[in-house]
Amino acid sequence: MEIKVRVDGVDHKAHAQLIKGTLWVHHNGRVFTMDASTGRKSRKKAGAGGSSDQVVAPMPGKVTKILVSAGASVEAGQAVVVMEAMKMEYTLKADIAGSIDSISCAVGEQVALGKALIKIKPASDK
């Protein structure tokens, strides 16, 4: 669905989808979520998730590119997967530096919200 959001007093159109009680709003390359049952807001960006050793799907969607291979070294912030959801493209990035331990998705695969796509072995564990 398309909704109207107000950012700094200016109205914009954004795409939104209600999935399992969470309202996902996509605007200008950023993703915002709201727990529909409590009304509490949170702010996420594609690929975000603290300093996790996993890259997880921030929303249901289709994997369109895998930019790394198993065993490859990655730096924190490096793009590792590209996925498409709600007619928008999202580049998911590694939160930590290390090497790719496993890849749990394939190009063209539909993935669910929260699915672990890439597992990274932290650089300090080498």
Side-chain angles (χ1 to χ4, degrees):
M1 77 178 110
E2 190 170 281
I3 64 171
K4 182 173 77 174
V5 295
R6 182 168 290 168
V7 178
D8 296 328
V10 179
D11 291 338
H12 301 272
K13 290 182 181 177
H15 293 279
Q17 187 172 15
L18 184 62
I19 302 170
K20 296 182 181 178
T22 300
L23 180 65
W24 294 80
V25 178
H26 305 264
H27 174 66
N28 202 19
R30 299 170 74 186
V31 179
F32 304 87
T33 61
M34 176 180 284
D35 185 340
S37 62
T38 64
R40 293 181 55 194
K41 292 187 256 181
S42 62
R43 189 172 174 173
K44 298 180 179 180
K45 63 181 183 180
S51 59
S52 174
D53 63 347
Q54 292 186 338
V55 176
V56 299
M59 65 204 74
K62 181 179 178 180
V63 175
T64 58
K65 295 177 189 168
I66 298 174
L67 305 172
V68 293
S69 58
S73 295
V74 293
E75 296 296 323
Q78 180 178 338
V80 294
V81 172
V82 178
M83 63 182 293
E84 181 180 287
M86 297 174 55
K87 300 179 183 176
M88 298 183 74
E89 185 175 279
Y90 296 91
T91 301
L92 308 182
K93 298 176 181 175
D95 288 334
I96 60 172
S99 61
I100 302 299
D101 192 35
S102 63
I103 299 173
S104 305
C105 60
V107 173
E109 180 181 351
Q110 286 289 125
V111 296
L113 168 69
K115 176 183 167 82
L117 305 174
I118 304 274
K119 180 157 177 57
I120 300 169
K121 183 177 180 180
S124 59
D125 289 352
K126 287 183 178 178

